[in-house]
Amino acid sequence: MFNLKRLVAAAGFVLAAANLTFAQTVRLTVQPGTPQLQISKDIYGHFAEHLGRCVYDGFWADPGLNVPKQGRIRMDIVEALRKIKVANLRWPGGCYADAYHWRDGVGPTTQRPHTINTWWGDAVEDNSFGTHEFLELCKLLGTEPYLAANVGSGTVQEMANWMEYLNSNADTPLTQQRRQNGHPEPYGVQMWGIGNESWGCGGNMTADYYTDVYKRYATFAHNYPGSPKLRRIVSGANGDDPNWTETCMKKIPLDQMWGLTLHQYTLPTGSWSGSKGAATGFDETQYFNTMKNCLRMEPIVTRHAAIMDKYDPQKKVALLVDEWGVWTDVEPGTNPGFLFQQNSLRDALVAGTTLNIFNNHCDRVRGANLAQAVNVLQALVLTDKEKMLLTPTYHVFDLYQVHQNAQYLPLQFQSPDYELNGQKLPALNASASKDASGAVHISLVNLDTKKTLQLETTLPGVTWKTVSGRMLTSGNVNDYNSFDKPNKVKLVAFNGAKKRGGNLVVELPPQSVVVLEVK
Ligand code: AHR
């Protein structure tokens, strides 16, 4: 007898099976690469601005807060971040850097002035977290400090004095002050950004004007005997602004810059005016648009790198994407000037995709800083008084740490499409590297919310026996870790990769980030 219900159920089953059985097989080749080309660990840098609850009520805890602390540095955050190997930490901004006067933040805490953070919510800044506290934090994290000098509202002398204070071993009033403030030895800070977003909050300069200002500052950025050579970093372009990069590369002699930056954020709606989109509770169309905007990083980096190639074919100057990440509307009821947003599986897919782009451009991209480490924008860690949680983005940095300073291995593949409402995106993105022990790591991101991808991978020149992996996924791209459910989105062992003959076959689940180890 004809049974409509059964027929529909059977058809549903056949369709579901078809999704797997007839899923397009992606042929992927992991190429041998060249030993000289490494993925710089500095791509895995982070950012701590005096903004909202990143420093105060983040890294720097209230004295009365019942959490493990060293001084006022929150050690549960330090422990978590040590595990993912933070390569460098950028401070004190951001826009705040061009309003920051370093002398306000040294010396006895009770004598430090209270100032107003005019960039971020007019918060009163008590300057209890200053240069020494930041460098102590870096020491505890085992990370390299990356300071941003004030060009917008400071002076050349102020920056030069900061460098002498930190890096000189001579006997001068400034170094005596450092010694009195508890640090006899020079700190030897190497990474120095000369201004931040000088086209905007750093002074609204033209590219032409900034390059002259930069050269003046760079001239007085002195290398002190015994301290490592400075890495002077040019404040670079706003997203896809080729003119800024072109002007800097044309006008600044190569030996006066170690790096040039670029800032590019992913906005779910793609627009700075009006709503940027919510951090959670979005629909698939908004997810799709977010990923489309995230993938713009690829042509933007390619374009800036091509301009740099014209003036610097030997690729001496690094491109640093020292602000990137998802920027959504703030959480309802929070201070709009504090940029506090939740972090979902979507953020993790953005992080995995963006880091794959940086890895694949490691010949030029030799630094990057996610905005920001704690409680601000696409954070790694969120806190609520004593409570702390790790976001899905944190887990991606945990997975990808294997690429730090590993040999880059180029990949070859044709991605299937992720289709929605008649639009298409590449569903698959990936990158690979070989570490010092010879183990190969492949990071794979499947952006499609429904389709599993079948990968048939060859690794010419690699002799291997085993494959293992870890994965981040969840039932919905909207899923996030809350203080009630801090482990909703977490890493799990991945068992979908097998050796078949000499090939590596992988079943990559929808909306997942997977890192495989082949050895
Ligand atoms: O990361 C937040 C802000 O975004 C930074 O202060 C600024 O540089 C950028 O516009």
Side-chain angles (χ1 to χ4, degrees):
M1 208 173 80
F2 178 75
N3 182 330
L4 183 64
K5 251 192 189 167
R6 262 201 192 158
L7 188 71
V8 171
F13 174 77
V14 170
L15 281 176
N19 211 0
L20 264 180
T21 319
F22 301 114
Q24 189 183 335
T25 298
V26 185
R27 298 199 184 283
L28 195 140
T29 309
V30 181
Q31 294 175 333
T34 54
Q36 294 78 14
L37 191 54
Q38 281 196 349
I39 295 174
S40 169
K41 71 174 177 35
D42 285 318
I43 287 176
Y44 295 84
H46 292 281
F47 180 25
E49 181 165 11
H50 287 230
L51 193 180
R53 295 171 49 240
C54 182
V55 173
Y56 298 102
D57 205 18
F59 281 116
W60 193 239
D62 197 82
L65 199 73
N66 188 18
V67 289
K69 292 191 287 291
Q70 182 149 325
R72 284 177 59 184
I73 295 175
R74 221 180 136 150
M75 292 308 286
D76 50 354
I77 298 182
V78 168
E79 291 308 318
L81 296 188
R82 278 185 71 86
K83 287 195 189 128
I84 59 168
K85 297 203 185 93
V86 173
N88 66 70
L89 189 63
R90 182 169 179 251
W91 179 83
C95 294
Y96 186 71
D98 282 296
Y100 184 64
H101 301 283
W102 68 270
R103 284 191 171 85
D104 292 343
V106 296
T109 318
T110 50
Q111 289 168 27
R112 298 185 192 177
H114 286 200
T115 50
I116 298 173
N117 189 334
T118 47
W119 281 114
W120 304 116
D122 277 343
V124 174
E125 160 75 61
D126 70 6
N127 282 298
S128 55
F129 189 88
T131 301
H132 288 261
E133 291 76 18
F134 172 67
L135 293 169
E136 180 62 18
L137 171 64
C138 289
K139 195 169 135 199
L140 291 170
L141 288 169
T143 195
E144 184 172 359
Y146 171 13
L147 295 182
N150 181 342
V151 169
S153 71
T155 63
V156 175
Q157 186 177 8
E158 186 182 1
M159 180 203 70
N161 286 166
W162 202 9
M163 291 174 172
E164 180 185 327
Y165 179 89
L166 288 171
N167 289 355
S168 171
N169 203 17
D171 192 17
T172 69
L174 276 167
T175 59
Q176 281 163 17
Q177 212 186 327
R178 184 193 70 228
R179 293 187 184 100
Q180 276 159 21
N181 290 335
H183 209 273
E185 298 303 320
Y187 280 104
V189 175
Q190 242 191 318
M191 289 178 85
W192 288 88
I194 309 292
N196 167 74
E197 298 195 349
S198 302
W199 40 263
C201 66
N204 279 304
M205 304 178 203
T206 62
D208 255 327
Y209 180 73
Y210 170 72
T211 49
D212 286 339
V213 171
Y214 174 86
K215 284 188 276 186
R216 195 156 72 91
Y217 273 74
T219 306
F220 298 95
H222 187 67
N223 282 308
Y224 287 95
S227 262
K229 191 166 180 240
L230 298 185
R231 295 176 174 184
R232 300 182 185 95
I233 297 164
V234 179
S235 166
N238 178 15
D240 198 10
D241 174 5
N243 175 54
W244 191 278
T245 298
E246 183 98 42
T247 309
C248 292
M249 292 303 295
K250 197 189 293 175
K251 286 187 60 184
I252 302 172
L254 295 185
D255 62 359
Q256 279 186 28
M257 53 178 162
W258 176 81
L260 167 69
T261 72
L262 164 70
H263 289 181
Q264 170 65 20
Y265 284 97
T266 296
L267 277 58
T269 59
S271 163
W272 286 103
S273 57
S275 169
K276 298 179 190 70
T280 57
F282 45 84
D283 61 14
E284 188 168 357
T285 304
Q286 183 113 128
Y287 163 72
F288 187 93
N289 286 338
T290 308
M291 297 319 305
K292 188 164 109 188
N293 294 334
C294 156
L295 286 164
R296 289 189 59 228
M297 187 65 90
E298 169 67 43
I300 287 176
V301 164
T302 303
R303 190 160 183 206
H304 287 282
I307 296 169
M308 294 176 80
D309 284 351
K310 263 201 320 192
Y311 299 92
D312 173 27
Q314 290 178 312
K315 300 183 194 288
K316 289 187 176 145
V317 179
L319 178 61
L320 292 95
V321 188
D322 67 352
E323 286 188 30
W324 67 274
V326 178
W327 191 320
T328 69
D329 295 338
V330 298
E331 291 306 317
T334 64
N335 187 330
F338 281 15
L339 308 186
F340 176 74
Q341 64 193 45
Q342 247 299 351
N343 193 293
S344 67
L345 177 64
R346 176 180 68 175
D347 293 70
L349 293 160
V350 167
T353 300
T354 308
L355 291 170
N356 279 340
I357 294 170
F358 294 159
N359 287 348
N360 288 322
H361 281 275
C362 63
D363 59 334
R364 184 64 82 174
V365 178
R366 299 199 287 271
N369 299 76
L370 176 71
Q372 300 196 5
V374 182
N375 290 331
V376 169
L377 298 176
Q378 189 176 350
L380 300 166
V381 167
L382 301 179
T383 65
D384 177 15
K385 301 197 176 67
E386 280 84 4
K387 292 185 198 157
M388 185 197 91
L389 64 79
L390 306 177
T391 64
T393 299
Y394 172 94
H395 294 305
V396 172
F397 277 86
D398 188 359
L399 287 175
Y400 277 56
Q401 59 176 292
V402 289
H403 293 303
Q404 291 193 25
N405 282 347
Q407 185 196 326
Y408 172 62
L409 303 179
L411 296 176
Q412 239 182 1
F413 64 94
Q414 190 86 42
S415 171
D417 292 328
Y418 162 34
E419 291 190 52
L420 190 77
N421 306 330
Q423 289 195 62
K424 290 176 183 173
L425 288 180
L428 175 68
N429 64 77
S431 66
S433 66
K434 181 162 80 176
D435 72 13
S437 75
V440 170
H441 295 103
I442 310 171
S443 43
L444 302 161
V445 180
N446 181 0
L447 298 181
D448 200 306
T449 55
K450 295 176 195 72
K451 283 193 200 144
T452 298
L453 300 177
Q454 319 267 1
L455 313 184
E456 180 91 32
T457 311
T458 51
L459 300 98
V462 181
T463 316
W464 62 284
K465 289 199 186 97
T466 62
V467 57
S468 58
R470 290 192 298 163
M471 169 171 69
L472 190 74
T473 188
S474 194
N476 195 309
V477 283
N478 260 301
D479 287 347
Y480 60 95
N481 293 336
S482 66
F483 292 102
D484 294 333
K485 288 191 183 156
N487 292 315
K488 173 130 184 105
V489 188
K490 61 174 193 292
L491 290 177
V492 292
F494 178 68
N495 302 315
K498 306 261 171 323
K499 189 166 194 206
R500 195 164 63 203
N503 287 2
L504 169 66
V505 289
V506 185
E507 253 184 33
L508 187 64
Q511 55 199 35
S512 67
V513 183
V514 167
V515 173
L516 300 175
E517 179 170 86
V518 176
K519 58 184 184 183

Tab-separated table of all heavy atoms in Angstrom, residues 47 49 51 94-96 120 196-197 201 263 265 323 327 339 371-372 377, ligand 1:
chain	number	residue	atom	x	y	z
A	47	PHE	N	47.004	41.545	21.450
A	47	PHE	CA	46.866	42.998	21.588
A	47	PHE	C	46.142	43.302	22.891
A	47	PHE	O	45.090	42.715	23.168
A	47	PHE	CB	46.072	43.478	20.359
A	47	PHE	CG	45.792	44.940	20.252
A	47	PHE	CD1	46.598	45.888	20.861
A	47	PHE	CD2	44.709	45.385	19.490
A	47	PHE	CE1	46.326	47.248	20.722
A	47	PHE	CE2	44.425	46.729	19.352
A	47	PHE	CZ	45.241	47.659	19.972
A	49	GLU	N	44.966	46.703	24.753
A	49	GLU	CA	44.837	48.161	24.783
A	49	GLU	C	44.178	48.589	26.094
A	49	GLU	O	43.406	47.829	26.691
A	49	GLU	CB	43.983	48.612	23.590
A	49	GLU	CG	43.804	50.128	23.515
A	49	GLU	CD	43.277	50.623	22.177
A	49	GLU	OE1	42.843	49.787	21.358
A	49	GLU	OE2	43.295	51.852	21.964
A	51	LEU	N	41.474	49.775	27.023
A	51	LEU	CA	40.161	49.905	26.378
A	51	LEU	C	39.197	49.001	27.133
A	51	LEU	O	39.469	47.792	27.259
A	51	LEU	CB	40.282	49.465	24.908
A	51	LEU	CG	39.179	49.759	23.904
A	51	LEU	CD1	39.534	49.229	22.523
A	51	LEU	CD2	37.796	49.344	24.289
A	94	GLY	N	46.734	50.618	19.631
A	94	GLY	CA	45.446	51.227	19.426
A	94	GLY	C	45.441	52.761	19.520
A	94	GLY	O	46.461	53.442	19.675
A	95	CYS	N	44.234	53.255	19.365
A	95	CYS	CA	44.035	54.705	19.429
A	95	CYS	C	44.618	55.271	20.725
A	95	CYS	O	45.120	56.392	20.748
A	95	CYS	CB	42.545	55.027	19.334
A	95	CYS	SG	41.829	54.614	17.742
A	96	TYR	N	44.546	54.492	21.794
A	96	TYR	CA	45.017	54.989	23.085
A	96	TYR	C	46.517	55.306	23.054
A	96	TYR	O	46.987	56.202	23.770
A	96	TYR	CB	44.703	53.962	24.191
A	96	TYR	CG	45.043	54.468	25.562
A	96	TYR	CD1	44.285	55.476	26.163
A	96	TYR	CD2	46.134	53.954	26.266
A	96	TYR	CE1	44.613	55.966	27.418
A	96	TYR	CE2	46.457	54.435	27.528
A	96	TYR	CZ	45.696	55.445	28.091
A	96	TYR	OH	46.020	55.930	29.327
A	120	TRP	N	38.161	55.868	24.770
A	120	TRP	CA	37.326	54.725	25.123
A	120	TRP	C	36.487	54.995	26.362
A	120	TRP	O	36.908	54.753	27.484
A	120	TRP	CB	38.191	53.458	25.277
A	120	TRP	CG	38.988	53.205	24.024
A	120	TRP	CD1	40.335	53.224	23.904
A	120	TRP	CD2	38.461	52.927	22.715
A	120	TRP	NE1	40.704	52.973	22.597
A	120	TRP	CE2	39.567	52.794	21.843
A	120	TRP	CE3	37.176	52.797	22.174
A	120	TRP	CZ2	39.427	52.526	20.473
A	120	TRP	CZ3	37.043	52.536	20.809
A	120	TRP	CH2	38.149	52.398	19.992
A	196	ASN	N	49.969	54.878	15.535
A	196	ASN	CA	48.925	53.892	15.244
A	196	ASN	C	47.843	54.581	14.416
A	196	ASN	O	47.422	55.698	14.753
A	196	ASN	CB	48.303	53.384	16.551
A	196	ASN	CG	47.013	52.610	16.316
A	196	ASN	OD1	47.043	51.470	15.849
A	196	ASN	ND2	45.866	53.221	16.601
A	197	GLU	N	47.411	53.936	13.372
A	197	GLU	CA	46.345	54.486	12.510
A	197	GLU	C	46.540	55.994	12.337
A	197	GLU	O	45.660	56.802	12.636
A	197	GLU	CB	44.956	54.143	13.072
A	197	GLU	CG	44.724	52.642	13.107
A	197	GLU	CD	43.270	52.198	13.302
A	197	GLU	OE1	42.401	53.033	13.614
A	197	GLU	OE2	43.009	50.994	13.127
A	201	CYS	N	42.644	57.922	14.012
A	201	CYS	CA	42.744	58.369	15.417
A	201	CYS	C	44.158	58.764	15.817
A	201	CYS	O	44.349	59.443	16.822
A	201	CYS	CB	42.178	57.302	16.358
A	201	CYS	SG	43.138	55.763	16.390
A	263	HIS	N	45.623	47.356	9.060
A	263	HIS	CA	44.514	47.000	9.952
A	263	HIS	C	43.305	46.608	9.115
A	263	HIS	O	42.917	47.339	8.203
A	263	HIS	CB	44.133	48.184	10.860
A	263	HIS	CG	45.167	48.465	11.907
A	263	HIS	ND1	45.047	49.463	12.840
A	263	HIS	CD2	46.350	47.839	12.188
A	263	HIS	CE1	46.101	49.453	13.636
A	263	HIS	NE2	46.913	48.491	13.257
A	265	TYR	N	39.503	44.710	9.848
A	265	TYR	CA	38.525	44.027	10.713
A	265	TYR	C	37.446	43.360	9.865
A	265	TYR	O	37.195	43.772	8.728
A	265	TYR	CB	37.870	45.035	11.660
A	265	TYR	CG	38.770	45.447	12.814
A	265	TYR	CD1	39.525	46.617	12.754
A	265	TYR	CD2	38.869	44.665	13.948
A	265	TYR	CE1	40.355	46.989	13.817
A	265	TYR	CE2	39.694	45.031	15.015
A	265	TYR	CZ	40.432	46.196	14.939
A	265	TYR	OH	41.245	46.543	15.992
A	323	GLU	N	46.202	44.612	13.644
A	323	GLU	CA	44.847	44.618	14.212
A	323	GLU	C	43.950	43.873	13.230
A	323	GLU	O	43.842	44.280	12.064
A	323	GLU	CB	44.320	46.033	14.437
A	323	GLU	CG	44.959	46.721	15.626
A	323	GLU	CD	44.316	48.048	15.984
A	323	GLU	OE1	43.107	48.229	15.745
A	323	GLU	OE2	45.054	48.914	16.505
A	327	TRP	N	34.433	42.382	14.521
A	327	TRP	CA	33.965	43.541	15.290
A	327	TRP	C	32.454	43.583	15.146
A	327	TRP	O	31.939	43.847	14.057
A	327	TRP	CB	34.618	44.809	14.734
A	327	TRP	CG	34.446	46.049	15.556
A	327	TRP	CD1	33.326	46.455	16.231
A	327	TRP	CD2	35.436	47.077	15.787
A	327	TRP	NE1	33.559	47.655	16.866
A	327	TRP	CE2	34.844	48.062	16.609
A	327	TRP	CE3	36.759	47.269	15.377
A	327	TRP	CZ2	35.529	49.219	17.019
A	327	TRP	CZ3	37.424	48.415	15.783
A	327	TRP	CH2	36.820	49.374	16.601
A	339	LEU	N	33.502	48.126	23.921
A	339	LEU	CA	33.649	47.114	22.858
A	339	LEU	C	33.660	45.676	23.381
A	339	LEU	O	34.501	44.854	22.978
A	339	LEU	CB	34.910	47.378	22.020
A	339	LEU	CG	35.096	48.793	21.450
A	339	LEU	CD1	36.312	48.835	20.529
A	339	LEU	CD2	33.871	49.286	20.699
A	371	ALA	N	42.712	41.502	17.656
A	371	ALA	CA	42.138	42.516	18.550
A	371	ALA	C	40.903	41.903	19.230
A	371	ALA	O	39.957	41.575	18.532
A	371	ALA	CB	41.761	43.764	17.755
A	372	GLN	N	40.967	41.800	20.561
A	372	GLN	CA	42.038	41.977	21.511
A	372	GLN	C	42.028	40.787	22.477
A	372	GLN	O	41.066	40.018	22.488
A	372	GLN	CB	41.877	43.285	22.251
A	372	GLN	CG	41.886	44.492	21.301
A	372	GLN	CD	42.108	45.830	22.014
A	372	GLN	OE1	42.347	45.898	23.205
A	372	GLN	NE2	42.021	46.892	21.244
A	377	LEU	N	36.404	43.129	21.817
A	377	LEU	CA	36.293	42.633	20.443
A	377	LEU	C	36.419	41.098	20.423
A	377	LEU	O	35.814	40.425	21.249
A	377	LEU	CB	37.297	43.342	19.523
A	377	LEU	CG	37.073	44.874	19.405
A	377	LEU	CD1	38.162	45.530	18.565
A	377	LEU	CD2	35.706	45.210	18.811
B	1	AHR	O1	41.003	47.701	18.509
B	1	AHR	C1	40.170	48.798	18.711
B	1	AHR	C2	40.596	50.026	17.915
B	1	AHR	O2	40.458	49.761	16.556
B	1	AHR	C3	42.032	50.448	18.065
B	1	AHR	O3	42.242	51.241	19.176
B	1	AHR	C4	42.274	51.222	16.814
B	1	AHR	O4	43.612	51.206	16.403
B	1	AHR	C5	41.341	50.589	15.806
B	1	AHR	O5	40.623	51.518	15.109
